[in-house]
Amino acid sequence: MVAPTRLTINPNLWDNKAEQVKSKIVCNDEMRSYYNDEARKLKSYLEKAYQSRQTTEPQKEWLKEALEQYYNPQKYNVETATEETAKPTLIALFDEFLEKHRLSDVRKKNYRVIKRGLQRYELYIRTTKRGQKAFVLDIDQVTADTLRDIWEFLENEYRYCALYPEIYEAIPEARTPQPRGKNTLLDCFSRIRTFFYWCNNNKKTRNRPFDDFPLEECTYGTPYYITIEELHKIYGTNLIRHPQLAVQRDIFVFQCLIGCRVGDLLKMTKSNLIDGAIEYIPRKTKEGRPLTVRVPLNQTAKEIAARYKSLDGDKLLPFISEQKYNLAIKRIFKAAGLKRLVTVINPTTREEEKRVLYEIASSHLARRTFVGNLYKQVKDPNLVGALSGHKEGSKAFARYRTIDDEMKQQLVDLLK
C-alpha cells in the first residue's frame, strides 16, 4: 500500500533504510529531531491502528484512511499520535536508541544487524504462528520466554532463510545467514540487554526481562600467537616473486609491532607518525573517554615505515581491504612454512580443535602477537595495555595473553 504523508524533505537528506534523516549529513539539529520524531510517531500510530483494525485483511484503501484519521483526529474522534497516546513498538524504540544513544559508527552498524534480526523474528512469528499475522514486539511484553524464543530463532536462522525466503527478501542482509555459535549469540543478546537498560533508564519501560534471562560469559580458548622467532621468519621470507604479497607482509609485521586493531590500522595516515612513534585514538574509545595511544617504533617498524614514505597520498602504508588483507596473511604464513598446530575453540560447536597456524592466521593475530610477547617479558597488564589501548583492568586483555610454563617457572624461581 502506498499513501502520501504530510512530511516533505529533500531526498538527499533521507535514509530510506533507517527511515530517518541521514546520520552523517550536516543539517539543523531541530530539523533532524522534528523529522525523526514525526516519522517515529507516524509509524507507531500506523502499527497500533493495524493491530486494532476490525477486518482480518486490510482493504486497499486502509493506509490512506488511517493517515486521514491520523491528521484529522477530531473529525474521526480518534486519539492523536502524541508521546502519551501512541505507544512506540520495540523496533521504533530501537530506532530511537540508535539515534540518541552514544555509539560509534561501527557499533551502530552492529546494532542495526541485530535490529534487522528482530524484524525478521517478527515476520517469522507472523508467518509461522496461527493467529499472529499482526505480531509486533512490544517492549512491555517481552519476557524471558520471549528472549529464549528469539535466541532459538537467531541460532537457527541459517535454516529458516531457505524455508521462508520471503522474510529475507523483505529484510535482507548482505550475505546469507550463517550458523551462529554461542559466543556470537551472547554478544547479540548483550547488545539487546544494553538496549533494554537504555529503555529502563529513559523511562520507556519498567520491563526487565534480562533479570530472568542471565547471560553467561563468552568462552574463549587459550590465546595463541606467533613468537618473536616466527615473526622474524615471516619478515625474512623471500617473496620476490610475489611483490604484492611482500607489501602485505610488511603491513602485517608492522601491525605486530604496534599492536593496533585492524580497523585503526587501515585508517592510519602519515600524520599518525610523530617523533618516531605511532599515535592514534582507538576507535573503540572514541565514543566514551578518548584515549590516545602512543607506541614507539623499533628498528624494524621504522624500516617498514621508511620503505613506504614516498607513497602517493596520505596513507601511512599501502593498505588493501580488510578481507583481502586476511587472505594475504594466510598465504604469507604458508609461504613462511608456519605449520605448527594450535588448539582453538570452534566458535559454533564450542569444541576443541587442532588447526594448522596458517589456516587460521588473520589480522587479529597481529594484535595478540604484540600483547602476548610483551606480556611474556614484563608481566604487567597495565603497562602492556598502555601500548595496546586496553583500559586498565580490561577483561578483554586476558583473551590476548597466556601464562605459559616458562613464565610460571620464572615466577616460582623467585622463591629460591
Side-chain angles (χ1 to χ4, degrees):
M1 297 180 193
V2 178
T5 72
R6 294 183 184 177
L7 290 173
T8 305
I9 191 171
N10 185 325
N12 294 327
L13 302 179
W14 190 250
D15 186 332
N16 285 329
K17 289 185 178 180
E19 296 179 329
Q20 64 180 29
V21 178
K22 290 179 179 177
S23 58
K24 293 185 178 181
I25 207 78
V26 177
C27 67
N28 183 281
D29 286 341
E30 289 185 10
M31 187 272 279
R32 182 191 302 277
S33 179
Y34 169 76
Y35 278 99
N36 289 348
D37 286 347
E38 285 300 310
R40 182 168 51 81
K41 288 178 187 177
L42 186 54
K43 286 193 292 183
S44 297
Y45 175 84
L46 289 173
E47 286 172 353
K48 183 179 178 182
Y50 183 86
Q51 292 179 67
S52 61
R53 70 193 188 283
Q54 300 300 314
T55 56
T56 304
E57 291 297 331
Q59 300 301 310
K60 185 178 179 181
E61 296 297 312
W62 178 85
L63 181 59
K64 183 177 179 181
E65 291 170 358
L67 285 170
E68 173 69 17
Q69 291 179 8
Y70 176 81
Y71 288 116
N72 300 284
Q74 301 85 357
K75 180 179 177 182
Y76 294 92
N77 195 27
V78 296
E79 292 179 324
T80 56
T82 62
E83 291 290 336
E84 293 74 27
T85 60
K87 179 184 176 182
T89 64
L90 185 145
I91 298 300
L93 285 171
F94 211 100
D95 286 333
E96 186 179 353
F97 164 75
L98 290 175
E99 180 189 346
K100 295 181 178 179
H101 192 52
R102 201 171 188 180
L103 295 167
S104 67
D105 289 342
V106 172
R107 292 188 69 192
K108 277 188 177 182
K109 184 178 179 181
N110 293 334
Y111 271 100
R112 287 192 182 107
V113 171
I114 294 169
K115 175 196 164 186
R116 291 193 294 273
L118 293 174
Q119 288 177 300
R120 287 194 294 271
Y121 170 75
E122 290 182 331
L123 292 177
Y124 170 75
I125 295 298
R126 293 174 201 170
T127 302
T128 61
K129 305 293 184 183
R130 183 176 295 178
Q132 296 286 324
K133 288 189 176 181
F135 174 81
V136 291
L137 285 166
D138 184 326
I139 193 72
D140 294 321
Q141 301 301 319
V142 173
T143 65
D145 285 338
T146 310
L147 295 175
R148 280 186 277 272
D149 202 41
I150 295 172
W151 180 290
E152 189 276 337
F153 170 77
L154 293 177
E155 187 175 29
N156 294 287
E157 194 175 10
Y158 70 100
R159 295 192 181 109
Y160 298 144
C161 62
L163 295 172
Y164 311 104
E166 66 277 10
I167 292 176
Y168 299 87
E169 290 172 7
I171 312 291
E173 287 292 346
R175 63 174 187 148
T176 304
Q178 302 297 309
R180 292 185 174 101
K182 195 166 186 179
N183 281 1
T184 301
L185 290 167
L186 286 170
D187 182 65
C188 289
F189 275 78
S190 69
R191 295 177 194 274
I192 296 172
R193 183 176 59 185
T194 298
F195 161 67
F196 267 90
Y197 286 165
W198 178 85
C199 289
N200 293 145
N201 293 336
N202 288 275
K203 297 181 172 54
K204 304 295 182 181
T205 185
R206 292 182 180 179
N207 187 23
R208 298 174 59 90
F210 281 90
D211 288 351
D212 299 314
F213 189 82
L215 298 179
E216 303 173 21
E217 291 288 332
C218 290
T219 300
Y220 299 96
T222 302
Y224 61 90
Y225 53 89
I226 58 176
T227 64
I228 298 298
E229 291 73 21
E230 287 172 326
L231 185 60
H232 288 323
K233 188 175 182 180
I234 289 172
Y235 193 49
T237 298
N238 186 344
L239 294 173
I240 194 168
R241 294 175 61 186
H242 305 281
Q244 292 302 318
L245 211 56
V247 171
Q248 300 311 308
R249 184 266 314 276
D250 287 350
I251 295 174
F252 177 77
V253 172
F254 188 83
Q255 187 184 1
C256 287
L257 297 174
I258 64 172
C260 66
R261 298 176 180 88
V262 66
D264 295 318
L265 179 73
L266 295 175
K267 291 181 179 179
M268 284 186 183
T269 65
K270 293 181 175 71
S271 63
N272 290 107
L273 185 57
I274 302 173
D275 296 331
I278 286 291
E279 282 193 15
Y280 69 101
I281 299 176
R283 63 180 183 177
K284 278 200 170 183
T285 70
K286 286 181 180 179
E287 63 202 58
R289 296 179 179 178
L291 171 70
T292 299
V293 176
R294 179 177 170 83
V295 185
L297 301 183
N298 68 8
Q299 190 56 44
T300 302
K302 288 179 180 177
E303 180 182 295
I304 293 171
R307 187 173 298 145
Y308 300 99
K309 188 176 181 180
S310 59
L311 189 70
D312 290 340
D314 198 33
K315 283 187 175 183
L316 179 66
L317 297 169
F319 304 122
I320 54 178
S321 71
E322 186 175 340
Q323 183 180 10
K324 290 180 180 178
Y325 179 46
N326 280 321
L327 290 173
I329 290 169
K330 289 176 172 59
R331 291 179 60 197
I332 291 161
F333 271 56
K334 191 171 184 178
L338 297 187
K339 300 177 181 179
R340 69 178 168 94
L341 293 176
V342 294
T343 302
V344 298
I345 298 291
N346 184 298
T348 303
T349 65
R350 301 187 105 191
E351 297 293 331
E352 283 190 0
E353 293 180 347
K354 297 291 185 183
R355 300 288 299 276
V356 179
L357 189 57
Y358 70 73
E359 293 178 346
I360 55 175
S362 69
S363 61
H364 205 61
L365 182 58
R367 183 163 167 80
R368 287 203 300 271
T369 295
F370 178 83
V371 172
N373 283 297
L374 283 182
Y375 186 79
K376 193 169 183 177
Q377 298 298 319
V378 300
K379 305 172 187 64
D380 184 339
N382 292 331
L383 181 57
V384 177
L387 292 170
S388 65
H390 285 102
K391 292 181 180 178
E392 194 167 322
S394 168
K395 289 183 179 180
F397 187 84
R399 303 205 296 267
Y400 292 86
R401 59 102 178 105
T402 184
I403 300 173
D404 59 20
D405 287 342
E406 183 183 341
M407 293 172 68
K408 292 174 184 176
Q409 187 64 52
Q410 290 174 359
L411 290 174
V412 297
D413 284 348
L414 296 175
L415 299 177
K416 290 181 179 179

